Amino acid sequence: MAENPRKPKPPTDVFTPWEDPAAKPLIEFRNVTKRFGEFVAIDDLTIDIYEREFFALLGPSGCGKTTMMRMLAGFESPSAGEILLGGKSMVGIPPNERPVNMMFQSYALFPHLSVWDNIAFGLRRDKKSKSAIAARVDEMLRLTRLEQFARRKPHQISGGQRQRVALARSLAKAPKLLLLDEPLGALDRKLREETQFELMDIQEKTGTTFVIVTHDQEEAMTVASRIAVMEHGKVMQVDTPAKVYEMPNSVYVADFIGDVNLIEGVFSRPAPETCQITYDESEPPIHLDATPGIAEGARVTYAIRPEKIRVSADRPDDLANAAFGKIIDIGYLGDISTYHVELANGQMVKAAMTNSTRVSRREFTWDDEVWLSWRETAGVVLDH
Amino acid sequence: MRRIALIALPYLWLLALFFVPFLIVLKISLSDTALAIPPYAPTLDLSEGWAGIRDWWSGLDFENYVFLTTDSLYWKAYLSSLKIAVISTAITLLVGYPIAYGMSRARDEWRPTLLMLVILPFWTSFLIRVYAWKAILAQEGFLNQVLIGLGVISEPLTILNTNTAVYIGIVYTYLPFMVLPLYAALEKLDDSLLEAAEDLGCTRMKAFWLITIPLSMQGIVAGSFLVFIPVMGEFVIPTLLGGSDTLMIGKVLWEEFFSNRDWPVASAVAIVLLAILIFPIVLFLKNEEKQWESDT
Amino acid sequence: MRRVSWFNVTSLTFGLAFLYLPMVVLVVYSFNANKLVTVWAGFSTKWYGELFRNEAFLDAAWVTLRVAVVSSTLATVLGTAAAYVLVRGGRFFGRTLFSGMLYAPLVMPDVILGLSLLLLFIAIGLDRGMITIILAHTTFSMAYVAVVVTSRLVAFDHALEEAARDLGCNRWDAFRLVTLPIIAPAVVSGWLLSFTLSLDDLVIASFTSGPSSTTLPIKIFSAVRLGVSPEINALSAILIGIVTVGVITTSLMSKRAIAKRIRDENRAET
């Protein structure tokens, strides 16, 4: 029997070790708590990170992501719980004896050493032969395209080059795990975007597990295989970027990642297979597809991304939901335009449309009355 | 116009009261001792015109310098000063580094207080701080009383009027000059550099040697020169705390000038001392300039 | 997060004990009734009384004070000008010689400075007295003022002066109205430093003083050369007391000023 060519690839080819119950995680946080005096930086946290993952810890400053990273590196030890690396407990093992290297936010390049000596620093600690060190340093210089800067001191190279030296230095020892603390924070936007792809490329080439700490959600979405969204020392959600974006499990995550409309209302099931949310007496309810697990009459928040909402002059008849309103504001961002539309009841809704054609005149303008429409599956219902 | 005045005022002052005096010392060091006022010859007599200048010029010679080499007192004093200065600089560095390090690693809210505590003795009279050790180190002094009281020793130690007392006095009085530049260098040290070194496989001790020491080198150099150079010419400490066998060139110069009233030899002693010190002084100024450049 | 390290605490404790023990011992002994300073014979303030009846000490103190005020004021003016010239003056003829002459007295042994100045005063026939001490002290204090003021000038944003010039000041007005108020703390510390150095100096004063102008350090030195003296202990205790009060007051004042500034800034933020 010939295989159907359109049959999807078997899931084992896709890199999803977290879905494989037989896979052994590289890093295990087991009920880890970290207190600084009264302040609880990490609150009973359990998380698994797998080999070859590019794992992002995402959250606002003070959420505990840096503390988690410093515990992995060995600069802080947990107040309770335990961290395992490759199945071995890391309790009491000092930073210099861990197969973990870190790329510091400030890069922490040694100012008195040349680029070459900075990269060789860790290798020399391992008492490797001179030729082995030289070969490895040259390999790292090639990998990060720094060959012609080898003899310079850190203050004689640009910010982007320094960032690459820091990366090369932390990769030189071929650590099992590389920690990156806001690695791109000091770079300007354009360079940051380029470097994100470079990082992914290097991660793939070296097969190293990367854990990155960042407060920049776009960065996390771009580079990571999975993202842990953190808040107040707790992990709110761990998932792939697409899942975190499309299926946030809480109002916090929905709001933190990307732009979102949050509409509060009451959930009901008028018929067994239809669900809806009533948010205002004067507006029609929002129709949903089957949403199990939520009680009749529960107060919920409906989260819908602006790009899921279509703006049109006439009432469309192909979509389940429609609302009428007036354009209050237009934000033109080049690739997309964002419309702030006020519904009759005063509710503001953001809708984004891609500017797929060059137009000399905008399709809609201020004070235009428009219809907003979206599918049953466009949003998510978040229980309170 | 004002810019010229601003430059000229301190410039002329320094020329007149710093530069010219050195030329005079140089000139007198080439003159002969005389029983006259002033006690040297020849003196420049401009009233005789060109002949006066010629007489004066032909009267100058290197006799005093030759004398310094023939009398072993002088070169022994230079060598002894050099030895005392080198050893006491090393001790001051060893004592001062942990203090400066402790200050720089102290909590932020403690640091201004610690800094004040280190600077305070520096504001108190140098003479009095040296004198204080007389009462401590004397035969029946504080230290011997305490040690005998504790039963550590039964006979009082003889420390005052020995070279040991001189070393103690130097280390004590010059300690702030060592600690402050070291602190300035160590305070700038970024903690993440030490963490990076540990992360890359250093023990704490190794990280200290490979990162902390090299990065505080400018402070070490500045502090060492600030101790070494003035100690070479030190007069008060060997006079108050040293014994008859404590030989230091500053003391010799003083005695040559005030007791023997041999101005030309005293001048020659000063010129040779300056020649010895000019190299470290230039190095010190260069180091400061480098620090200045790296700061701006 | 810095951890308390026992090594650091220990080295600080021993270091500070080493710095302060001699001074504490001196102050304690100054209240000893016994003429033999180191043998305790009960508490007494009699040496303080003796000290204030000693005309020679009081005269010397008065000379020292006048010399210190005048020389530190002169040194502050000249040193500030020198620092300004070096930081902002650009290039001029003999700049290296100038900075060399300015900073060399920082490390030059006192005996050399004293000897050279004395020989100058003799050569030009200036009688030794308060004037010559003032000239000598001004010369070496200038260097200290210049160092303190320079560090402040370097940290100071050049754009402020340019803004003043842009708004219509000439160079002198820009200096007087903008630069000087901002570097004022450094100028004041420079003055205090020169003042202390002048009060403290023995060697240079010994070379440049005349018979009518004995300073306090000269007096103390001749008194302690042979041994310890209870009157000098009392004098030392007074001097240590003055310095301690002075340093603590100024540091408290600056701490309060900083606290006030932080408070003001916070208030302005909200």
Side-chain angles (χ1 to χ4, degrees), chain B residues 28-278:
Chain B
I28 291 177
S29 75
L30 300 171
S31 308
D32 294 325
T33 316
L35 282 173
I37 295 173
Y40 55 84
T43 46
L44 182 58
D45 190 355
L46 282 179
S47 60
E48 281 175 42
W50 185 239
I53 296 175
R54 231 185 18 227
D55 278 353
W56 171 75
W57 179 255
S58 61
L60 299 181
D61 55 43
F62 288 96
E63 207 176 296
N64 298 310
Y65 293 94
V66 175
F67 174 68
L68 291 191
T69 61
T70 53
D71 193 332
S72 68
L73 166 80
Y74 297 102
W75 61 262
K76 272 185 182 155
Y78 282 117
L79 281 182
S80 164
S81 294
L82 200 63
K83 186 183 130 204
I84 291 176
V86 168
I87 294 176
S88 50
T89 304
I91 302 174
T92 315
L93 180 62
L94 288 179
V95 174
Y97 204 97
I99 300 176
Y101 187 80
M103 282 167 67
S104 71
R105 303 286 105 179
R107 291 219 240 145
D108 287 356
E109 63 264 33
W110 272 95
R111 273 189 260 167
T113 312
L114 289 171
L115 195 60
M116 191 202 77
L117 284 171
V118 170
I119 293 175
L120 199 144
F122 171 84
W123 290 96
T124 5
S125 168
F126 171 81
L127 191 55
I128 283 170
R129 281 183 296 140
V130 177
Y131 162 70
W133 284 96
K134 266 184 113 98
I136 294 175
L137 299 177
Q139 202 85 40
E140 66 286 359
F142 179 78
L143 183 68
N144 277 322
Q145 285 177 9
V146 169
L147 290 180
I148 291 174
L150 291 173
V152 180
I153 50 169
S154 52
E155 288 294 306
L157 299 169
T158 307
I159 303 175
L160 191 63
N161 303 328
T162 66
N163 278 355
T164 313
V166 174
Y167 284 121
I168 294 175
I170 292 173
V171 172
Y172 179 70
T173 43
Y174 284 90
L175 195 56
F177 290 94
M178 182 63 89
V179 171
L180 294 178
L182 283 176
Y183 172 71
L186 286 168
E187 200 210 6
K188 276 186 277 181
L189 186 73
D190 181 357
D191 269 359
S192 69
L193 292 178
L194 295 177
E195 287 186 346
E198 275 188 70
D199 185 65
L200 293 166
C202 283
T203 57
R204 288 197 176 198
M205 203 56 206
K206 193 89 188 162
F208 177 79
W209 282 109
L210 290 175
I211 308 299
T212 312
I213 294 275
L215 288 179
S216 57
M217 204 35 103
Q218 278 187 348
I220 294 176
V221 171
S224 300
F225 279 136
L226 277 177
V227 175
F228 175 83
I229 299 168
V231 167
M232 270 300 283
E234 188 51 63
F235 160 75
V236 176
I237 297 172
T239 310
L240 288 184
L241 300 179
S244 50
D245 60 334
T246 305
L247 203 53
M248 284 193 78
I249 199 67
K251 213 170 121 185
V252 170
L253 192 156
W254 180 284
E255 275 155 14
E256 211 57 67
F257 190 86
F258 285 109
S259 312
N260 300 349
R261 287 190 63 76
D262 193 338
W263 292 13
V265 168
S267 300
V269 168
I271 293 292
V272 172
L273 177 56
L274 199 64
I276 295 171
L277 289 181
I278 201 83

Side-chain angles (χ1 to χ4, degrees), chain C residues 10 30 45 58 64 71 80 93 102 127 148 159 167 170 178 186 199 201-203 210 215 228 239-240 242 249 254 267:
Chain C
T10 315
S30 74
T45 53
L58 295 180
T64 311
S71 70
T80 306
F93 179 74
L102 183 62
D127 277 341
V148 176
L167 294 168
N170 59 30
V178 176
L199 285 187
D201 169 64
L202 164 72
V203 175
T215 63
V228 281
L239 292 179
I240 291 171
I242 292 172
T249 323
S254 75
R267 206 172 288 157

